[in-house]
Amino acid sequence: MAQSCYDAFDYDPFSYYFGGCRFPRRAFLDSLHLTRHGYDVTRYLYATANIRLPNFFTKSRWPNLWSPKANWIGYVAVSDDETSRVLGRRDIAIAWRGTVTRLEWLADLMNYLKPVDGKKIPSRDPRVKVQSGFVDLYTEKDDSCHFCKYSAREQVLTEVKRLTEKYDGAGEEVSITITGHSLGSALATLSAYDIAETGLNLVEGEGSGRPAPICVFSFSGPRVGNVRFKERLDFLGVKVLSRAVTRPVSV
């Protein structure tokens, strides 16, 4: 799923959809020849390109684009009935796009830590801090843009809330799995914290009655926050499985 974010991204500077996704949502995984994927994409995620991020937001050579102020940064999917029977639960999957370049440029996003609650992300501990660039990308929006009228945070939380209420209300157990590579890994970890701290995994329908487990599969991810951030993640029960990738994911 992390790889699919790279494979589906439109890198062609002469394309009208440059900076967007090359495939329609309903045919997303099939278009990537993942015919037995077991998931259905329910929502695309976008971020405002007003933030200065080298090698992440790109500029087209065409004066008119599908959106001059937005970039596609991932998607939300949910397991289909067959896969849910195998897993024993309905799995909500979130994949965040990263960058194919080396990670040195991430230093520009990690120049200082800021309290996470300063960006309207809830925190019961004011000592919890995250890297400024990551939280800016996650929370910034542009009211004049159709695709990023709502922040990436608002988009993903709205969809997770809708899906958890839908399936837990139908009596199913629910889990939340989040993944990403490079910068996408940072967004995966930050959004996992946000979902848990906000309590969106504390469903109250006819399902199991237990908090929906949250797991992050992190590939070559940078450090997202301070020690208090990690401790709070552990306290909230978020599991983060990390793997180093020696080379950027190919495109």
Side-chain angles (χ1 to χ4, degrees):
M1 288 186 170
Q3 176 68 47
S4 68
C5 289
Y6 291 103
D7 294 339
F9 188 71
D10 193 337
Y11 295 90
D12 183 0
F14 294 100
S15 170
Y16 174 80
Y17 295 102
F18 183 61
C21 181
R22 297 192 293 126
F23 308 116
R25 175 178 61 83
R26 296 185 185 277
F28 178 79
L29 294 171
D30 287 335
S31 299
L32 294 168
H33 306 293
L34 300 174
T35 55
R36 306 179 80 175
H37 46 76
Y39 284 78
D40 298 313
V41 176
T42 63
R43 180 164 185 166
Y44 279 168
L45 303 173
Y46 300 90
T48 173
N50 292 341
I51 303 173
R52 301 174 68 88
L53 297 184
N55 301 312
F56 188 77
F57 292 127
T58 50
K59 294 183 179 180
S60 173
R61 299 185 183 184
W62 285 96
N64 297 315
L65 282 176
W66 65 281
S67 176
K69 296 184 177 180
N71 260 207
W72 180 77
I73 58 167
Y75 60 90
V76 181
V78 65
S79 58
D80 59 23
D81 292 342
E82 181 180 354
T83 300
S84 297
R85 283 193 294 269
V86 173
L87 293 174
R89 64 188 184 278
R90 186 73 63 169
D91 186 48
I92 300 169
I94 305 165
W96 295 96
R97 181 174 68 85
T99 173
V100 296
T101 60
R102 287 195 276 174
L103 293 179
E104 284 86 349
W105 68 269
L106 283 174
D108 294 336
L109 300 181
M110 301 173 64
N111 52 356
Y112 70 95
L113 294 165
K114 64 170 59 174
V116 69
D117 57 4
K119 281 291 186 176
K120 300 181 179 180
I121 299 176
S123 176
R124 296 179 182 269
D125 186 346
R127 297 172 294 176
V128 172
K129 297 182 179 181
V130 293
Q131 301 293 349
S132 59
F134 301 151
V135 72
D136 287 344
L137 174 61
Y138 184 60
T139 58
E140 290 295 324
K141 57 185 176 181
D142 189 326
D143 292 336
S144 66
C145 175
H146 172 73
F147 293 95
C148 49
K149 183 176 182 179
Y150 299 98
S151 67
R153 175 180 188 260
E154 291 169 330
Q155 295 169 49
V156 73
L157 293 189
T158 297
E159 188 64 5
V160 169
K161 183 176 187 294
R162 184 185 73 84
L163 293 173
T164 53
E165 290 179 348
K166 175 182 178 179
Y167 291 108
D168 186 75
E172 299 186 41
E173 291 192 28
V174 176
S175 62
I176 301 171
T177 306
I178 315 176
T179 189
H181 167 262
S182 178
L183 176 58
S185 170
L187 293 172
T189 305
L190 181 58
S191 58
Y193 164 82
D194 194 12
I195 292 169
E197 192 73 277
T198 306
L200 290 184
N201 63 324
L202 303 177
V203 287
E204 299 179 355
E206 300 297 328
S208 67
R210 300 189 300 270
I214 302 174
C215 183
V216 176
F217 288 87
S218 167
F219 297 95
S220 295
R223 180 174 295 179
V224 179
N226 61 358
V227 173
R228 293 300 300 167
F229 176 77
K230 177 188 179 301
E231 293 173 347
R232 188 64 184 166
L233 271 178
D234 293 339
F235 177 81
L236 292 168
V238 176
K239 307 300 181 184
V240 180
L241 307 177
S242 300
R243 178 182 178 184
V245 179
T246 57
R247 294 188 294 182
V249 180
S250 60
V251 295

